[in-house]
């Protein structure tokens, strides 16, 4: 195409042109050759249309140029790769010349010693040749010097780095014009890697041959035979090993087809091998040879890199293994059936117990389906790990049975108890292959044992340290156990298990009336013989060996086994001697005490009656005194200032005395049982409104501010309305009288579902702890007698006893310098309660009063 374009250009422009090195490929009879042409062209003269050209053959010149370039390239490649070098030998002088990379390829630390013209001696080249290979190299050199063509030789050199290298040398001879050799040229190629590979391949082939003939598995190489439809119909045995002939029963089948040996062989096996050959996919399967009654594990695979129908077949006789697997399967099936109905779990551990390979749970422990190296700390709490580790180390060291009860983490991460046991599975050398174990949840049993231990411990403590003398006997009455109090009670230590002391026959037993009780008829014997189910609080007199007697209270209970049979009895005896003596003394003093009590009651009743009658008797003259004094105050005759002051004192003292008499009369009536309390449903709001009106004048006079907290209208309590007003007025009056100037009184409430508390708080001086202790004592004003405020010291005790008669409570809290708070608490009464309960009249007698304040 390019030439035609150039020709057209010459025709169109008339310019001459030169095309050089046109490469043309020609096919000769003997070879394919390449030719180079140099083409000259110019237009025809005289304006004639056309081109004239001539060709010059320059093939030799071009080939010579290519050879020079190829030689330069090979030399450059050899130099750069440091794997190829050369030696040029002058056959006339015997001098050798080497390039710069010669030392690197041959393993020299430095190039061989050179002459001035760069030449080296032949002997310098032989110094690094391995001695065993020097004759070969020397013989080759001799041939070169004789002008004989040697070709290629392989030999070894030992470099200055003490590494042995393989060198491949190819020699050529350059002739002079007269045909005589003048030079030899040798290329040296480092073929160490190739040689090592060949040696390794030879070694591998040798090992393969040894393995091929020495392996226990049957091995063969077969070539599949297909029909016209590409269906496998037979195969040819190409190579078999000794084990193949042993397992198959064939005698040297190499070079024979399968059907020529076994005409009726299973075609399914041939088809299976054919699929491996056609698809290239390996196949592993088990095959039962009926003729030999054997089971073979067959693995067939195509031989890689071979473009033919050959495949390799490896098979093993697994008849015994299959039988063992079946036996193992049957064993595991029985084991699984057993475990399914049992409460045990199974676990498997490696020889040193570092990895838990499997653990099947039973709904009480976390299962481990995969290997777990952290099982020890995940399953066993830290406080039990040292004990478990010691047991494990002992089992590993002795290769013996492992057994331990220890705590573990349950499914819910709580601590439980497990009984674990494991046995080592040993190989034919007696070494541990793995550990197989089971574990049982014994948490409930441990809890029961712990409870039983605590119970026994408590019983033992009670038995030994209890204040009661206790001992046990067996079914025939012989002493088994006794505590220290029994020894003290008897006066000596009995002999445990001594048949001579049956029923404690060393001691005499009497009834309370003094009658002797035979030992065979004692309460212990009666319980053991079944005459009594048990004996409670039986009084008896025990005569000890020293002749002294003590009164005892006997309690006997039988001891039963799990079948309900009597296997013994326990006797508990309480020393009643001191109590009996006290009772006798009390009996002797009882008449005197009763007489004294009657006298005291009589005197107390007389006191109450006297106070009551005297109060009534004192009121009559006192009313007259007050009446005439008031008449003097309002009389028409004017009084002097002195007379007015005297009359005022008479009136004031009279009213104070009348108040004192009234309070004494109330107290006397309460103590004598003559005070009547009527309990009813009382509105607290109404009571507090009346009380506020009653104490308002006194509060105004004393400059005291009173505040009543609001209360719901539906607050009702169970109380006597009149007495409730009396109590509240007394508390409010005291809060005003004993307050500080311009102080305040606050009334508030605390209402609950069952009670209502009314609190009266003041800003007075407060009470000390000593004063609070004496607060509710009659006629005790706590040292307030010296102040101007009058008082009797009876009001609070009357309030306390009245509130008690109404089934309520009264109390006080006080802080010195801050004030006091008195409160009463009464039961809440609903409308439904009032309709379901009659309003009783309760007479407060002396006994009820004392009972309420006991």
């Amino acid at each position: 195409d390019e030439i035609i374009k150039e020709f057209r250009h010459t025709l169109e422009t008339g310019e001459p042109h030169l095309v050089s090195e046109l490469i043309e490929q020609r096919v000769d009879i003997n070879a394919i050759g390449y030719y180079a042409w140099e083409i000259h062209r110019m237009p025809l003269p005289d304006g004639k249309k056309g081109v004239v050209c001539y060709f010059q053959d320059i093939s030799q010149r071009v080939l010579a140029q290519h050879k020079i370039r190829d030689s330069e390239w090979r030399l450059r490649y050899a130099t750069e790769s440091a794997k190829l070098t050369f030696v040029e030998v002058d056959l006339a002088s015997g001098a050798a010349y080497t390039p710069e990379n010669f030392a690197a390829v041959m393993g020299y630390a430095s190039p061989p010693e050179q002459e001035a013209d760069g030449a080296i001696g032949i002997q310098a080249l032989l110094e690094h040749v391995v001695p065993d290979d020097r004759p070969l190299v020397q013989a080759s050199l001799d041939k070169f010097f004789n002008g004989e063509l040697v070709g290629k030789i392989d030999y070894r050199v030992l470099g200055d780095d003490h590494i042995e290298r393989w060198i491949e040398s190819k020699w050529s001879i350059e002739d002079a014009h007269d045909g005589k050799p003048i030079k030899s040229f040798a290329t040296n190629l480092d073929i160490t890697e190739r040689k090592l590979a060949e040696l390794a391949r030879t070694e591998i082939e040798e090992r393969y041959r040894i393995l091929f003939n020495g392996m226990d598995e049957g091995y063969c190489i077969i070539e599949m035979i297909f029909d016209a439809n590409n269906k496998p119909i037979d195969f040819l045995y190409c190579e078999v090993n000794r084990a193949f002939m042993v397992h198959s029963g064939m005698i040297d089948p190499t070079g024979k087809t399968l059907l020529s040996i076994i005409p009726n062989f299973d075609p399914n096996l041939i088809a299976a091998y054919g699929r491996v050959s056609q698809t290239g996919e390996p196949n592993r399967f088990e095959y039962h040879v009926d003729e030999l009654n054997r089971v073979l594990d067959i693995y067939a695979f195509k031989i890689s890199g071979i473009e033919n129908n050959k495949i390799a077949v490896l098979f093993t006789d697994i008849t015994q293994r299959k039988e063992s697997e079946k036996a193992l399967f049957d064993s595991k099936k029985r084991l699984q059936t057993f475990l399914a109905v049992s409460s045990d779990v199974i676990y498997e551990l490696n020889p040193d117990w570092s990895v838990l390979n499997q653990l099947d749970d039973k709904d009480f422990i976390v299962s481990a389906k995969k290997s777990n190296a952290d099982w020890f700390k995940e399953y066993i709490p830290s406080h039990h790990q040292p004990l478990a580790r010691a047991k494990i180390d002992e089992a590993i060291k002795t290769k013996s049975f492992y057994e331990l009860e220890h705590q573990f983490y349950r499914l819910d991460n709580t601590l439980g108890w497990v009984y674990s046991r494991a046995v080592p599975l040993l190989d034919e050398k007696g070494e541990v292959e793995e550990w197989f174990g089971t574990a049982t949840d014994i948490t409930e049993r441990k809890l029961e044992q712990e409870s039983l231990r605590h119970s026994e411990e408590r019983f033992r403590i009670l038995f030994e340290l209890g204040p009661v003398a206790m001992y046990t006997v067996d079914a025939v009455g012989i002493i088994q156990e006794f505590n220290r109090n029994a020894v003290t009670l008897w006066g000596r230590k009995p002999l445990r298990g001594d048949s001579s002391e049956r029923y404690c026959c060393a001691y005499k037993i009497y009834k309370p009336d003094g009658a002797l009780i035979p030992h065979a008829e004692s309460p212990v014997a009666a319980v053991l013989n079944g005459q009594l189910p048990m004996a409670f609080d039986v009084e008896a007199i025990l005569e000890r060996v020293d002749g002294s007697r003590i009164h005892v209270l006997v309690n006997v209970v039988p001891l039963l086994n799990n079948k309900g049979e009597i296997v013994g009895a326990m006797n508990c005896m309480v020393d009643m001697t001191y109590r009996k003596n006290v009772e006798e003394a009390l009996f002797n003093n009882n008449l005197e005490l009763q007489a004294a009590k009657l006298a005291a009651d009589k005197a107390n009743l007389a006191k109450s009656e006297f106070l009551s009658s005297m109060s009534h008797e004192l009121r009559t003259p006192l009313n007259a005194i007050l009446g005439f004094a008031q008449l003097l105050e309002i009389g028409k005759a004017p009084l002097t200032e002195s007379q007015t002051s005297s009359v005022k004192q008479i009136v004031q003292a009279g009213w104070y005395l009348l108040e004192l008499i009234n309070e004494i009369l109330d107290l006397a009536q309460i103590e004598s049982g003559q005070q009547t309390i009527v309990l009813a449903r009382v509105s607290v709001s109404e009571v507090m409104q009346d009380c506020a009106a009653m104490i308002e004048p006194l509060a105004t006079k004393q400059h005291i501010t009173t505040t009543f907290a609001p209360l719901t209208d539906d607050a009702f309590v169970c109380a006597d309305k009149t007495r409730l007003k009396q109590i509240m007025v007394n508390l409010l009056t005291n809060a005003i009288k004993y307050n500080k100037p311009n102080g305040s009184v606050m009334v508030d409430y605390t209402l609950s579902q069952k009670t209502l508390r009314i609190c009266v708080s003041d800003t007075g001086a407060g009470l000390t702890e000593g004063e609070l202790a004496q607060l509710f004592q009659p006629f005790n004003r706590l040292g307030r007698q010296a102040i101007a405020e009058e008082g009797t010291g009876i009001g609070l005790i009357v309030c306390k006893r009245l509130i008690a008669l109404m089934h309520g409570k009264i109390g006080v809290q006080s802080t010195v310098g801050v004030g006091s708070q008195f409160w009463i608490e009464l039961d809440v009464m609903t409308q439904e309660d009032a309709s379901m309960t009659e309003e009783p009249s309760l007479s407060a007698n002396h006994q009820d009063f004392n009972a309420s304040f006991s």
Side-chain angles (χ1 to χ4, degrees), residues 283-302:
N283 186 15
R284 184 164 195 161
F285 55 93
E286 293 180 1
Y287 184 74
H288 189 276
V289 184
D290 296 330
E291 295 82 359
L292 302 175
N293 194 23
R294 295 179 182 176
V295 180
L296 303 179
D297 178 33
I298 299 177
Y299 180 64
F301 57 94
K302 190 164 185 176

Side-chain angles (χ1 to χ4, degrees), residues 46 122 152 166 175 183 248 264 318 336 355 392 418 427 446 451-452 457 503 529 622 680 757 773 817 842 851:
D46 302 330
I122 295 298
K152 178 177 74 68
W166 279 92
D175 296 334
K183 289 183 180 180
S248 66
N264 298 322
I318 59 171
Q336 293 296 335
V355 177
I392 291 171
V418 67
D427 58 16
K446 275 292 186 179
S451 177
L452 179 60
E457 185 177 350
Y503 301 129
N529 296 332
L622 185 58
R757 174 174 288 194
L842 303 178

Side-chain angles (χ1 to χ4, degrees), residues 206-263:
E206 181 64 22
R207 290 180 180 178
Y208 164 75
R209 182 55 54 188
I210 294 173
L211 176 64
F212 182 77
N213 291 318
M215 63 192 302
D216 293 332
E217 291 82 2
Y219 183 77
C220 66
I221 297 176
I222 61 175
E223 183 174 1
M224 297 303 303
I225 300 174
F226 298 89
D227 62 8
N229 297 322
N230 205 26
K231 176 183 178 182
I233 57 174
D234 200 353
F235 57 80
L236 177 70
Y237 287 104
C238 300
E239 189 176 1
V240 300
N241 68 347
R242 180 186 59 81
F244 174 87
M245 292 185 284
V246 172
H247 291 313
S248 66
M250 298 181 183
I251 307 281
D252 192 17
T254 304
K256 302 176 183 177
T257 63
L258 173 64
L259 296 183
S260 67
I261 301 172
I262 307 176

Side-chain angles (χ1 to χ4, degrees), residues 233 274 357 441 531 556 594 717:
I233 57 174
N357 293 323
D441 187 1
Q531 297 175 359
V556 184
Q594 288 183 354
V717 295

Side-chain angles (χ1 to χ4, degrees), residues 28-194:
D28 294 346
I29 296 176
N30 297 321
I32 297 177
Y34 290 91
Y35 298 87
W37 302 89
E38 186 177 78
I39 303 174
H40 297 265
R41 65 183 182 278
M42 60 183 67
L44 292 175
D46 302 330
K48 294 181 180 179
K49 192 169 183 63
V51 176
V52 62
C53 62
Y54 66 90
F55 296 81
Q56 182 179 359
D57 186 355
I58 60 173
S59 299
Q60 293 298 325
R61 187 182 70 188
V62 170
L63 288 176
Q65 292 174 351
H66 286 178
K67 286 181 180 181
I68 292 173
R69 286 198 298 269
D70 289 345
S71 177
E72 291 176 351
W73 177 85
R74 284 195 298 270
L75 181 60
R76 184 171 63 255
Y77 175 79
T79 303
E80 292 176 355
S81 66
K83 291 292 185 179
L84 179 66
T85 187
F86 63 90
V87 177
E88 182 180 347
V89 180
D90 187 340
L91 297 179
S93 63
Y97 301 90
T98 60
E100 294 179 356
N101 71 331
F102 181 81
V105 174
M106 302 299 286
Y108 299 169
S110 58
E113 187 176 350
Q114 298 179 348
E115 300 294 338
D117 60 352
I120 60 176
I122 295 298
Q123 293 302 318
L125 299 177
L126 295 174
E127 288 180 359
H128 285 74
V129 177
V130 174
D132 292 342
D133 293 347
R134 284 180 184 174
L136 173 64
V137 177
Q138 186 64 56
S140 299
L141 290 175
D142 293 341
K143 288 183 179 181
F144 278 119
F145 285 115
N146 294 330
E148 301 178 13
L149 184 62
V150 177
K152 178 177 74 68
I153 62 171
D154 297 339
Y155 59 95
R156 291 167 296 168
V157 296
L158 187 63
D160 294 333
D161 54 5
H162 303 288
I163 296 177
E164 191 175 89
R165 293 173 172 80
W166 279 92
I167 303 298
E168 179 187 76
S169 293
K170 294 183 179 179
W171 295 81
S172 60
I173 297 176
E174 181 180 351
D175 296 334
H177 295 289
D178 56 0
K180 293 182 180 181
I182 59 173
K183 289 183 180 180
S184 65
F185 186 86
T187 59
N188 294 341
L189 177 65
D190 185 347
I191 60 171
T192 305
E193 294 180 1
R194 189 183 73 191

Side-chain angles (χ1 to χ4, degrees), residues 93 120 127 283 359 387 399 425 435 461 467 469 846:
S93 63
I120 60 176
E127 288 180 359
N283 186 15
L359 186 147
L387 175 62
K399 302 177 185 178
L425 302 182
W435 291 81
I461 294 174
H846 186 71

Side-chain angles (χ1 to χ4, degrees), residues 353-425:
W353 288 62
S354 61
V355 177
L356 177 68
N357 293 323
Q358 183 176 359
L359 186 147
D360 296 325
D361 65 77
K362 277 287 183 178
D363 298 329
F364 70 87
I365 193 170
V366 178
S367 63
K369 302 300 182 184
K370 298 181 180 179
S371 297
N372 184 2
D374 297 325
W375 69 272
F376 190 73
K377 63 181 180 181
E378 290 180 2
Y379 285 96
I380 303 177
S382 58
H383 59 279
H384 271 213
Q385 289 179 8
L387 175 62
R389 175 54 62 190
K391 283 286 186 179
I392 291 171
D393 293 342
E394 180 183 359
I396 293 175
K397 181 179 179 181
T398 60
K399 302 177 185 178
S400 59
F401 189 77
Y402 165 84
E403 184 177 20
L404 183 65
E405 291 183 359
H406 62 83
Q407 284 190 302
F408 74 105
Y409 290 111
R410 296 170 60 86
L411 275 174
D412 56 2
N413 208 32
T414 60
L415 284 179
W417 280 88
V418 67
Y419 170 57
S420 179
R421 53 233 177 261
V423 293
L425 302 182

